[in-house]
Every structure is written in structure tokens, then in C-alpha cells.
Amino acid sequence: MEPARAGCLLLLLLLPALGGAAAPGEFDPYRVLGVGRSSSQADIKKAYKRLAREWHPDKNKDPGAEDKFIQISKAYEILSNEEKRANFDRYGDAGESQGFSQQQHRQFHRFHDGFYFDESFFHFPFNSERRDTSDEKYLLHFSHYINEIVPDSFKKPYLIKITSDWCFSCIHIEPVWKEVAQELEALGAGIGVVHAGYERRLAHHLGAHSTPTLLGLINGKITFFHNAVLRENLRQFVENLLPGNLVEKITDKNYIRFLSDWRKDNKPHVLLFDHMPVVPLLYKLTAFAYRDYLSFGYVYVGLRGTEELSSQYNINVYTPTMMIFKEHIDRPADVVQAREMKKQLIDDFLSQNKFLMVARLTSQRLFQELCPVKKSHRQRKYCVVLLTGEGEKFAEAYEAFLTFAVANTKDTLRFVHIYSDRQPEFADALHPLMDEEKYHGRSAVVILERRNNAGKIAYKALEEAWQGSKEDNFILLDLLDQLRTDPGLLSSETVVADLNDELAPMFLIRWFYSTLDYVSDCWDSLFHSNWREMMPLLSLLFSALFILFGTVIVQAFSDSSDTRDTPPSGKEEATAKTEKNDASLNKESNSRIPKKGFVEVTELTDINYTSNLVRLRPGHMNVVLILSNSTKTPLLQKFALEVYTFTGSSSLHFSFLSLDKHREWLEYLLEFAQDAAPIPNQYDKHFLERDYTGYVLALNGHKKYFCLFKPHRSGDEGGTLGSCEDYNALQHAEGRGKSSSSPGSRSIKNKLHKLSFWMERLLEGSLQRFYIPSWPTLD
């Protein structure tokens, strides 16, 4: 027994050495950068900047400078990435395998074989190398989750597992998880796995404070699983995530009403005939994925009360059957039968039948899908639009148009109709002659082709009103034949406004459902969440109460103080008048009309940094002014005057950044606005005294780029338009300690001279763009 105990003790002493730091002859990023293992990211970044400037081949003529610079870059790449750094700290290897290096692996096995231990003793599935490979394809990272999984959750629900190394409970639920994951993925649900050890940020974002944790994600909303991990419970959990009104139960009593609702919801209707008493989960997941295009019903053929329905459409009660009905409810537009309905079969079937034969244009999204913009001459898509009205008066013209569309269906043509009284702007732009006597109270037909996403179209309208006669059919058919050989037939051009969303729910209804979801989340949190999970909810509740009562108190005091306000002095009145005149001049020189009578400029801080930049919606930009405490007032006044005429654009946001607090963040961004060669010398005594006040950055958070406006030097009367071309020259002048302005308020304001012209070029898209790999944190 003593030799065995000695061997175990020796093994335990040697294991940390085998999995620890790199051997003396191997690459050590800490030694290369000259930092300790406990160094923060800020220390690592500073060391990298210092060494990169010192050993850059363009600055250092040493023969080994290039190799040294490559080692420095490699070391920084490892230590700046938390995952790679953790791998190196644990295993001495920063590779993508996230396990032992090959050399350590061989050493480990030689040590293991020398003691003749049972092989199963070392096969713990806790570490990264021994982890079940079935989870590898489901692993989620933070950016992947935010940019892909959350948007995709509006099409299918996700079941996500949060796991970690050395988690015994994770091993316990692994067989059930593997079985359920494979089953739900085949049905159309999404599966995700988050390793809390390597994705701490994502695990914290999801609210998982322990492992294992199972949660569901649907429509961007997270729901935690609190029951025993059993196959039936997990299936029911995913099913409960789905809305309850996705699939309607259909019988002989309500099938006519269900199929006739295509006029109301403007969608084809799908019926699934099956002998299962409950709606299959596959069908519910399919209904959720296609809910924007199709309405779904389920017929249980074994139920009494469905005989007439089965006989009407000649259903084989022993084989699952799926039918799609469009404008004609007496016969299906398409049918598919299979002994076992598979997801791929259903997707192919439904994707080919997403629209009615003559769909009604009820929203801009539908118009863009039915009438896409042409991409090339070989991919032309034409829309034949019937401008009509509602009621029996227009029924005959619509039926004739529908018959014509069914008989002339082609890949290059799409037949649609629109109610002129519901979309008056769109209809008037398509057919200006609608006001004439011959079109009053009648339908008209227009052939159009979208030219771009801004609303420009080319079109041709039938000269006479559409009545559905044989002569009308011949005229339209002749125009379509000419269009195949002569695209120039669409000689008229115009710009149409976006369509109104006719089927969008009212604000009160949307508010009611949002409130209901919020109350449901609160109720669930009271019973299942711990206090750490409850803190965001309590914080939001107290913040709302504080804002409510604070608003009432401020309003009460402001009302009482209005009567005591004194009139402004003559000097203040003259200043206000001058600023008003400047704003009016800018307004006259620009065609944009601001939505507000003031410029809303917020400070960019670590609190609003994520919402105002990192998660900024696509197409939106944040225009940020750089200032210091001493220049804040004059620069903000001038900034407001220069950008006032651009506040009418909803895609522009205006902020300011304190140089005294966030100089390092700004200098990090400016490094991407210069070439690699002119790196400033860190030994220059003015290296840390450069004046960045008056700089303006236009930040595109979604596409990760920025444009730069630089202030004009004093004495430059004409100045050059603030752009990104002369950055190095200006930086060289600033490196000599020359301030770009005098302390006076007037010279400070001159820094933003011609900022409005720079804003014009920003909106035109003609400014140079500087791309960055990711947005740095704003400490």
C-alpha cells in the first residue's frame, strides 16, 4: 500500500506542472511583452503599444526587429483574447483545440503508462479535450448569439444549455440532453450550448449563475427551465414557448369560415389532416416559422365531426395529408401526402406557396418581397398591379383579373392588387390620371418594375379603366408580350412612398400584450428566480417609480417658477437672436427640416456606451464631439449650430465625449486612422500632450467603422474640409506641442468651422471610412 500511496502523491504533485506554464524553450507571451500573469488588459495593451513602437521595422533598423515585432504581435494576440489567454494559463497552449499541447500530451501519457493505472481513471469528461464532441457544433459565442441566434429566434425557438468543466450535474443530464437535442433539431427547433468557463460574458448576459442551466429563447425573450431534466419535460418546455394561437383546430363546423379568411388576413391557408389527437410539435414549429405568410389549421381525422371535411377533399385518413388553399376554397392549390412528414419536405412545400395568386399589397415588406428590385437584365421581375376598391361594385373586375392571373402565371410576372382608398399616396403615384372622369369609381391596371430600394419605379398604365372584358384581357396580354422583347415599354418613372401596414395591430393592443408578457415574467421570477436574478427587475421597478414621482415634483416646481421668471437681459436676448439667425442660415442652405427646435446631445459614458454605439441599429450613426472640461461650453454651442440642420434625420445621434476621462479610448481608435509607418515616437515629450478637443467622430456601431473630422489650426483662414486624408500632417504638428487653438472662446469655436460641410459629405457617403475589428470598452 505504501508504494501505491507514494505514486498517487507523486502524480498529484506533477499534474499541475504538466498542465501549467510553457517550458523554458517554448514561446511565452508574458515573457515577450514583459508583463506578469496577473496583469490587466490595460497593462497588456500599454506594454504592447510601447514594444510595437520600439520594434516596428520602419522605426528600428536592427536586423532582428522584424522577427521581434512578429513575436510581439503574436503575444498580444494571445493575451488580448480571454479564451486564448485562459488556454495558455491552463495548458501552456493557446491553440484552437483548447486542450493539452501535443508535447505535454505525450509527456502525460508516458507518465501515465509508467504507473500502470487503469485507463478509465484518466477519462474524466470534464476538461475540454474529453468533452463530448456532440456539443461542439452547438457551441455559442457572444457575437454569434447577438448577431445570429437572437434574430433567428423570431423564426424558431432555441433550447440552450449552459455547462462548464468539472460539473458533475452536467454529466448526469448529458444522455437526456443529447437525445432531446437531436430530436428537437430534426423537428426545426434551435439548439445551443454555452461553456461558462470560456464564455463568461455570454453566460452572464443570459443570467446563468450556475451550471447546468437550461433555458429557452424565442422572439428574443429568455425563459428558464425549472423542472426535472426529462425528455417529456424538455419537449413540453419547448412547446410551451410557442404562442398558443398558432394552429386552429378545424372541424366540419368551422372549415368554411377558416378557409374564407384569406380575404381578411391576405394569406394562403394550410390544412394538415392526421390521425394524431394532438397537434404534432413539428407542425407547431412550422406554423411559427411561417406565421407571417400562412395561416395553419389542423384536422384530427379520427374525431367525429370531420367526416364531411374529409369527404369534401377526398382525404386518405391513413396517410398524413397537407393542403394549401388560396383564393378558391372549393379546391386546394397544392397537396402533399407522405407516410411520415419530414421538416425538409414541409419546408419545400410551403416555401413554394407563401403568397396568394393575386396577393393584396398591405405593407412595404410584402411589396418588396412580391416585387423585388431588378438585379440584372436576366433577373427582371415585373408586377402587374390592379388598383381597385372594396365592395361588390369592384368584385367583377377583381374576379376577371384573378382569372387572367391564373392563366398567365410566369416566373417573371407577379400579379397583385391594392385598395386605392387604403393606400392613396401609393395609388396616386402609380396612376396620376386616376382623377379623370373615366377612372372615377373604376379599377385600373399598371405594370411596374422597381428600380431601387428608395422607391423609384418604372411603369406603364393601361389607357382605359379595367372592367375585365375580353378586350381588356387582349390589351393586357399584348402589353405583356411586348414587354418580353422590349423592356423600354415601361417609359414612365416616378417615386412611390412606403406602403402603410394595414394589418399591424393597434398601439393599445400591442401595449396590452407587452404588459401581459411583462407581468407574466414578473410572476415567474417571484417563484423561480433567486435574488441575484431579481435585481434587474427590482432596479427597473424602482427606477420607474423614481422617474414617475420625480417628474411630478419637477413639474410642480417648474409650474410655480414660471410666474417668477424674469425677462432675459439685453445681452442674452442679442445672443439668442444671433444664434437663431445662424440656425436659420444653416436651415436655408440645407434642404433638411429638423424635427426638433433644439439639438439633443448626450454624453457618451460607460453606462450608455452599449446602447448608443455597440448595439446601434443598422444604418444609424452616432456623431461624437471630443471636448474637455475647459472647452465644453463653447464647443457644445458651436457644435449645436453646425449640426442643427441635420437633426431631421432619425438615423443620426449626437453625443460628446470627455477627453479628460476617455483619452485612451480615443487614442486607440485614432490608431486605425493612420498608416503603419508613421507611428509616433513614445519618447517625444509632447507624446501625451496632444490636443484632441474639437475632433468629431461619426461612429457606425453595426458595421464597425468611423469617419473623422479634425479641427482647423488657428491662422488657417480658409481651412480645408475636415476629412481623414491629412491626419498624419496634423498629428506631426500637434506632436511638436502646437495647440490647434488659443484659449479664447472664439478660437475654440473656430475649431468646428465648416463642420456642416463635413456632415454633408458624411450623409453622401463620400468620406473615408476607418474599420476596426471590434469596439473597445469605455472604461
Side-chain angles (χ1 to χ4, degrees):
M1 294 298 292
E2 292 302 326
R5 290 180 180 176
C8 292
L9 180 60
L10 180 60
L11 171 63
L12 294 176
L13 292 174
L14 289 179
L15 277 177
L18 292 173
E26 295 182 355
F27 178 77
D28 186 356
Y30 292 103
R31 187 171 63 249
V32 172
L33 294 183
V35 296
R37 291 184 174 271
S38 60
S39 299
S40 64
Q41 285 293 333
D43 296 334
I44 292 173
K45 185 186 298 183
K46 290 179 181 178
Y48 166 71
K49 289 182 179 180
R50 177 177 55 80
L51 293 173
R53 294 188 182 108
E54 179 181 354
W55 291 97
H56 196 281
D58 293 334
K59 294 289 185 180
N60 195 322
K61 302 305 180 182
D62 190 289
E66 184 175 356
D67 294 336
K68 181 68 174 179
F69 185 78
I70 293 175
Q71 289 187 355
I72 293 170
S73 301
K74 181 180 178 182
Y76 181 69
E77 180 184 0
I78 294 174
L79 297 184
S80 62
N81 186 299
E82 292 293 345
E83 183 177 348
K84 292 182 180 180
R85 182 179 181 181
N87 288 338
F88 183 84
D89 291 342
R90 293 176 180 175
Y91 313 116
D93 178 24
E96 296 298 328
S97 60
Q98 298 180 355
F100 291 114
S101 64
Q102 293 182 358
Q103 181 178 357
Q104 293 169 326
H105 192 70
R106 290 193 297 269
Q107 293 174 354
F108 180 81
H109 274 284
R110 287 201 301 268
F111 175 81
H112 158 245
D113 294 340
F115 281 91
Y116 303 101
F117 281 119
D118 184 10
E119 184 74 15
S120 62
F121 179 80
F122 288 93
H123 284 192
F124 286 107
F126 301 123
N127 58 42
S128 302
E129 185 181 23
R130 299 299 186 186
R131 199 186 309 138
D132 194 345
T133 57
S134 62
D135 282 348
E136 293 295 332
K137 64 177 181 178
Y138 304 128
L139 285 177
L140 302 180
H141 304 285
F142 186 83
S143 59
H144 176 225
Y145 171 82
I146 295 297
N147 298 325
E148 297 183 28
I149 301 300
V150 173
D152 198 40
S153 69
F154 289 85
K155 298 179 182 178
K156 62 182 179 183
Y158 273 82
L159 182 64
I160 300 176
K161 176 183 72 171
I162 290 87
T163 184
S164 63
D165 291 338
W166 304 102
C167 171
F168 289 92
S169 299
C170 301
I171 304 303
H172 180 71
I173 69 171
E174 193 64 32
V176 179
W177 166 260
K178 185 185 299 185
E179 178 186 2
V180 173
Q182 293 176 353
E183 180 182 1
L184 292 178
E185 187 180 27
L187 296 178
I191 304 297
V193 175
V194 177
H195 194 286
Y198 301 108
E199 286 293 333
R200 294 186 182 90
R201 182 183 179 188
L202 179 54
H204 179 73
H205 176 78
L206 295 174
H209 306 293
S210 61
T211 56
T213 298
L214 298 178
L215 56 89
L217 175 69
I218 189 169
N219 292 332
K221 174 186 173 184
I222 296 173
T223 304
F224 285 88
F225 176 79
H226 300 288
N227 296 326
V229 182
L230 302 174
R231 175 180 175 274
E232 294 77 13
N233 291 346
L234 288 174
R235 277 180 57 95
Q236 190 62 43
F237 173 68
V238 173
E239 190 167 353
N240 290 340
L241 293 176
L242 299 169
N245 57 349
L246 285 173
V247 182
E248 184 176 353
K249 295 290 186 67
I250 304 301
T251 62
D252 293 340
K253 296 180 180 180
N254 63 352
Y255 82 95
I256 295 180
R257 189 267 310 159
F258 173 75
L259 297 179
S260 300
D261 280 347
W262 68 267
R263 296 182 182 274
K264 183 187 304 182
D265 53 29
N266 195 39
K267 298 177 183 177
H269 285 61
V270 186
L271 283 181
L272 175 64
F273 297 82
D274 204 348
H275 58 276
M276 300 292 293
V278 296
V279 181
L281 180 57
L282 170 62
Y283 196 53
K284 288 186 176 180
L285 292 170
T286 302
F288 180 76
Y290 290 90
R291 68 190 185 282
D292 292 335
Y293 301 97
L294 304 164
S295 295
F296 292 82
Y298 180 75
V299 182
Y300 172 36
V301 294
L303 180 67
R304 179 179 298 178
T306 60
E307 296 86 356
E308 177 185 344
L309 184 57
S310 301
S311 176
Q312 170 76 16
Y313 301 113
N314 194 21
I315 300 300
N316 182 357
V317 296
Y318 300 104
T319 304
T321 304
M322 185 175 289
M323 292 183 172
I324 287 188
F325 295 84
K326 297 186 178 180
E327 284 87 350
H328 301 106
I329 67 172
D330 56 336
R331 61 182 183 276
D334 206 352
V335 182
V336 62
Q337 268 188 344
R339 291 190 175 275
E340 186 177 0
M341 288 285 183
K342 296 289 187 180
K343 179 181 182 299
Q344 187 61 46
L345 174 66
I346 296 178
D347 286 342
D348 294 340
F349 178 67
L350 297 181
S351 60
Q352 298 173 5
N353 296 277
K354 290 166 57 177
F355 305 105
L356 296 170
M357 296 300 299
V358 182
R360 180 162 61 92
L361 297 181
T362 56
S363 66
Q364 183 67 16
R365 178 190 62 82
L366 190 61
F367 177 51
Q368 292 172 351
E369 291 198 51
L370 291 172
C371 307
V373 176
K374 72 165 186 175
K375 298 180 180 179
S376 67
H377 291 288
R378 296 183 179 181
Q379 296 179 336
R380 289 183 177 274
K381 297 289 184 181
Y382 301 103
C383 265
V384 185
V385 185
L386 174 68
L387 302 172
T388 184
E390 303 180 67
E392 295 295 331
K393 178 181 179 180
F394 300 93
E396 184 178 352
Y398 168 77
E399 291 295 336
F401 186 76
L402 175 61
T403 303
F404 182 90
V406 173
N408 294 275
T409 301
K410 297 178 182 178
D411 293 338
T412 57
L413 292 178
R414 177 72 73 177
F415 292 87
V416 296
H417 72 286
I418 189 171
Y419 288 157
S420 301
D421 55 342
R422 296 196 183 187
Q423 306 286 350
E425 296 181 2
F426 191 87
D428 292 343
L430 279 179
H431 204 299
L433 301 178
M434 288 288 290
D435 295 334
E436 295 187 4
E437 284 289 329
K438 59 182 178 181
Y439 291 102
H440 185 68
R442 296 183 180 182
S443 302
V445 173
V446 177
I447 306 172
L448 66 84
E449 179 187 32
R450 292 181 63 219
R451 292 295 171 86
N452 57 34
N453 291 318
K456 183 178 180 180
I457 64 169
Y459 72 100
K460 182 175 180 58
L462 269 66
E463 295 181 358
E464 300 293 335
W466 174 268
Q467 297 178 347
S469 62
K470 290 184 178 180
E471 182 180 358
D472 292 341
N473 281 267
F474 285 137
I475 294 174
L476 180 56
L477 187 60
D478 182 59
L479 285 177
L480 295 178
D481 288 339
Q482 295 180 40
L483 192 60
R484 288 190 302 175
T485 58
D486 182 19
L489 183 67
L490 308 182
S491 56
S492 302
E493 290 189 351
T494 187
V495 177
V496 296
D498 289 349
L499 289 169
N500 304 320
D501 193 350
E502 300 177 15
L503 303 180
M506 297 176 59
F507 170 77
L508 290 178
I509 296 178
R510 286 183 284 140
W511 179 84
F512 173 76
Y513 281 115
S514 300
T515 305
L516 192 63
D517 290 340
Y518 184 75
V519 172
S520 176
D521 292 342
C522 296
W523 184 261
D524 183 70
S525 300
L526 289 175
F527 288 95
H528 297 107
S529 299
N530 55 36
W531 281 105
R532 180 182 292 179
E533 295 171 348
M534 284 287 291
M535 285 305 296
L537 179 62
L538 296 175
S539 176
L540 180 61
L541 180 60
F542 282 109
S543 298
L545 293 175
F546 177 79
I547 293 173
L548 178 62
F549 287 105
T551 303
V552 173
I553 295 173
V554 170
Q555 185 67 31
F557 277 98
S558 63
D559 291 343
S560 61
S561 63
D562 284 344
T563 58
R564 299 193 301 268
D565 287 344
T566 59
S569 63
K571 184 176 180 181
E572 293 175 349
E573 188 174 331
T575 304
K577 185 175 181 180
T578 302
E579 294 181 354
K580 184 176 181 181
N581 292 336
D582 292 342
S584 63
L585 286 175
N586 287 335
K587 183 185 292 186
E588 291 173 2
S589 61
N590 295 276
S591 59
R592 299 170 185 82
I593 301 176
K595 294 181 178 179
K596 304 175 181 178
F598 62 94
V599 181
E600 184 177 351
V601 185
T602 59
E603 182 177 3
L604 195 63
T605 64
D606 56 341
I607 298 176
N608 59 12
Y609 179 68
T610 300
S611 59
N612 286 4
L613 175 59
V614 179
R615 296 184 185 173
L616 208 59
R617 288 181 294 175
H620 287 239
M621 300 190 74
N622 197 337
V623 182
V624 181
L625 169 68
I626 308 301
L627 49 76
S628 61
N629 291 335
S630 60
T631 62
K632 181 175 182 180
T633 301
L635 280 181
L636 277 178
Q637 290 177 354
K638 182 62 174 176
F639 182 71
L641 289 176
E642 291 288 332
V643 303
Y644 174 71
T645 55
F646 301 92
T647 57
S649 174
S650 60
S651 61
L652 290 180
H653 309 270
F654 301 97
S655 305
F656 69 89
L657 184 80
S658 175
L659 185 62
D660 303 321
K661 301 177 183 177
H662 307 294
R663 172 181 287 270
E664 184 178 352
W665 180 89
L666 176 63
E667 290 184 342
Y668 174 80
L669 251 64
L670 293 182
E671 288 182 0
F672 293 93
Q674 62 180 349
D675 298 330
I679 297 178
N681 188 355
Q682 78 273 20
Y683 297 109
D684 188 346
K685 64 179 182 179
H686 299 292
F687 176 66
L688 297 177
E689 299 177 4
R690 286 174 291 173
D691 182 19
Y692 296 113
T693 57
Y695 276 50
V696 178
L697 288 81
L699 309 173
N700 190 313
H702 180 68
K703 294 187 177 180
K704 296 184 179 66
Y705 72 81
F706 67 92
C707 295
L708 178 64
F709 171 88
K710 298 175 294 301
H712 301 282
R713 299 182 294 276
S714 58
D716 187 0
E717 297 178 0
T720 58
L721 184 62
S723 61
C724 307
E725 287 79 1
D726 57 344
Y727 174 83
N728 297 326
L730 179 62
Q731 189 187 54
H732 181 66
E734 291 171 344
R736 297 195 301 267
K738 293 183 179 180
S739 177
S740 61
S741 66
S742 62
S745 176
R746 183 179 182 86
S747 59
I748 291 176
K749 289 185 177 181
N750 286 338
K751 285 189 172 189
L752 300 180
H753 182 56
K754 292 188 178 181
L755 176 61
S756 60
F757 295 101
W758 183 82
M759 291 291 298
E760 289 284 353
R761 291 184 59 191
L762 174 66
L763 296 181
E764 292 171 0
S766 60
L767 288 177
Q768 184 179 357
R769 298 177 178 179
F770 301 106
Y771 289 85
I772 64 173
S774 62
W775 293 111
T777 57
L778 190 69
D779 299 328

